């Protein structure tokens, strides 16, 4: 599948921004993993665009810190669905391109809202997974923590192997605070600044996801959005690419490599072909 020719001009613009670029920030959301067939919550193909969960409540309530305390089994039901979707999927060409670009450019960071761990698996190193990772569990009572490959051997909701209290994934549920260490790290990398900022596959609802784009814009740093849908930031970015994440990133990266006379790493072989 190739990019619509209407978007080709925008791809070219991004490639020209990359030519003298030393540092890139990739802000990513569920739309990037949508190209691995993981459902998003909102926007194109979103699970919960106009609908409540089958428990009759919005997803934001089901996946909230308050609900985990009140009805852990209910919250765990929806957490398990995210994990089950990850288990059946692998990272895609978009994650791969971001990891390859990290190896090519002097300084690349990923700020992701995704809890699927795909950036890590695709080879990115500089990742701030601001909402955590479903594969990391911790006890709600003692200090016990563990990483699990998947949830196939867990009784849901799982109990702490050490004290039998309820376990939870180390993810930020709705209504919970962001981890201070990750926020600190985010502030630090933003302070150091970037030459180019991408916002990919996110409905851009959270201030800490929108702000880096706004700050870049205020400083005159080029900004790019990749999303087949319109979001609140679509009008504000320098380049808006109305396409799917994996194919757009592949087109940008292979176009850049061609323009610079670099041997292309690998062709587009994402799961959405
Ligand atoms: P979101 O579901 O609110 O929005 C997804 C966005 O991606 C939408 O704007 C949609 O138009 C766009 N999109 C859909 N398909 C796309 C594609 N192929 N390429 C590019 N963009 C595409 O997701 P969000 O903004 O990341 O925020 C939702 C919250 O839900 C986050 O807190 C996140 O942690 C969580 N979540 C995570 C996952 C995951 O880890 N993969 C999946 C669903 C939700
Ligand atoms: Zn415990």
């Amino acid at each position: 599948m190739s990019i619509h020719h209407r978007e080709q001009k925008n791809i070219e613009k991004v490639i020209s921004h990359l030519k003298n670029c030393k540092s890139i920030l990739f802000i990513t959301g569920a739309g990037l993993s949508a190209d691995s067939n993981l459902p998003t919550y909102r926007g194109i193909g979103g699970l919960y665009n106009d609908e409540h969960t089958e428990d009759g409540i919005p997803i934001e309530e089901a996946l909230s810190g308050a609900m985990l305390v009140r009805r852990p089994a209910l919250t765990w039901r929806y957490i398990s669905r995210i994990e089950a979707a990850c288990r059946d999927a692998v990272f895609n060409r978009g994650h791969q391109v971001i990891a390859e670009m990290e190896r090519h450019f002097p300084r690349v960071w990923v700020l992701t809202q995704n809890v699927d761990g795909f950036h890590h698996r695709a080879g990115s190193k500089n990742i701030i997974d601001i909402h955590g990772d479903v594969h990391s569990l911790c006890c709600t009572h003692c200090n016990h923590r563990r990483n699990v490959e998947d949830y196939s051997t867990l009784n849901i909701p799982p109990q702490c192997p050490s004290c039998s209290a309820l376990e939870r994934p180390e993810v930020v549920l709705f209504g919970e605070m962001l981890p201070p260490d990750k926020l600190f790290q985010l502030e630090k990398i933003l302070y150091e600044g970037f030459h180019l900022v991408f916002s990919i596959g996110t409905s851009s609802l959270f201030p800490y996801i929108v702000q880096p784009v706004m700050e870049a814009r205020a400083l005159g740093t080029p900004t790019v959005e990749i999303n087949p849908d319109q979001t609140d930031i679509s009008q504000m970015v320098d380049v808006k690419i109305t396409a799917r994440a994996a194919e757009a990133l592949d087109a940008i990266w292979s176009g850049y490599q061609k323009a610079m006379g670099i041997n292309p790493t690998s062709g587009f072989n994402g799961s959405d072909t």
Side-chain angles (χ1 to χ4, degrees):
M1 192 163 143
S2 66
I3 284 275
H4 195 283
H5 64 265
R6 188 191 59 218
E7 295 303 328
Q8 203 52 49
K9 247 201 167 121
N10 290 328
I11 301 280
E12 294 300 329
K13 268 190 216 161
V14 179
I15 292 169
S16 70
H17 285 310
L18 281 172
K19 283 181 184 161
N20 292 310
C21 185
K22 301 260 183 301
S23 58
I24 310 170
L25 174 63
F26 289 99
I27 302 167
T28 69
L32 176 60
S33 295
D35 281 337
S36 295
N37 295 324
L38 247 61
T40 63
Y41 291 163
R42 309 279 172 206
I44 302 261
L47 276 183
Y48 304 108
N49 277 330
D50 307 304
E51 285 171 37
H52 284 355
T53 61
E54 75 251 24
D55 286 283
I57 52 171
I59 188 66
E60 289 82 359
E61 221 175 288
L63 282 177
S64 67
M67 190 62 82
L68 180 74
V69 172
R70 214 151 31 98
R71 296 175 64 189
L74 186 145
T75 302
W76 263 103
R77 171 154 57 231
Y78 294 95
I79 293 167
S80 308
R81 287 206 190 148
I82 299 175
E83 186 281 325
C86 299
R87 211 188 306 169
D88 294 336
V90 284
F91 60 82
N92 63 58
R93 182 69 190 141
H95 298 95
Q96 233 175 9
V97 163
I98 292 172
E100 285 173 17
M101 286 172 81
E102 181 178 325
R103 292 193 284 274
H104 176 79
F105 292 97
R107 182 170 159 268
V108 171
W109 277 90
V110 175
L111 164 63
T112 189
Q113 300 165 87
N114 296 343
V115 293
D116 50 38
F118 284 172
H119 281 295
H120 177 72
R121 289 184 188 180
S124 286
K125 299 272 182 265
N126 297 333
I127 307 166
I128 301 177
D129 55 349
I130 196 84
H131 291 166
D133 188 325
V134 287
H135 303 101
S136 159
L137 304 183
C138 64
C139 178
T140 55
H141 182 68
C142 74
N143 289 329
H144 193 273
R145 296 174 66 184
R146 58 175 168 154
N147 286 318
V148 292
E149 187 65 26
D150 60 48
Y151 291 0
S152 59
T153 57
L154 300 181
N155 285 320
I156 303 291
Q159 290 180 316
C160 170
S162 168
C163 79
S164 300
L166 177 73
E167 276 188 302
R168 62 165 294 166
E170 288 194 281
V171 299
V172 179
L173 295 171
F174 288 98
E176 291 186 322
M177 297 213 333
L178 297 171
D181 54 332
K182 289 183 186 172
L183 268 182
F184 180 74
Q185 200 181 15
L186 175 59
E187 265 172 42
K188 184 168 172 284
I189 64 159
L190 292 176
Y191 178 76
E192 288 161 1
F194 290 94
H195 289 140
L196 186 56
V197 174
F198 286 86
S199 174
I200 305 171
T202 171
S203 49
S204 289
L205 295 176
F206 301 119
Y208 46 91
I209 291 305
V210 176
Q211 231 159 8
V213 180
M214 296 298 103
E215 277 171 25
R217 185 179 137 93
L219 290 168
T221 303
T223 52
V224 182
E225 180 183 53
I226 304 175
N227 194 318
D229 208 355
Q230 295 294 312
T231 73
D232 287 350
I233 67 159
S234 300
Q235 300 299 320
M236 300 177 206
V237 291
D238 295 292
V239 189
K240 159 76 183 169
I241 299 178
T242 307
R244 302 176 66 139
E247 60 178 6
L249 282 165
D250 186 64
I252 289 166
W253 184 222
S254 57
Y256 171 82
Q257 288 173 312
K258 201 168 159 207
M260 304 300 281
I262 304 168
N263 276 339
T265 33
S266 50
F268 178 66
N269 57 5
S271 52
D272 66 337
T273 43

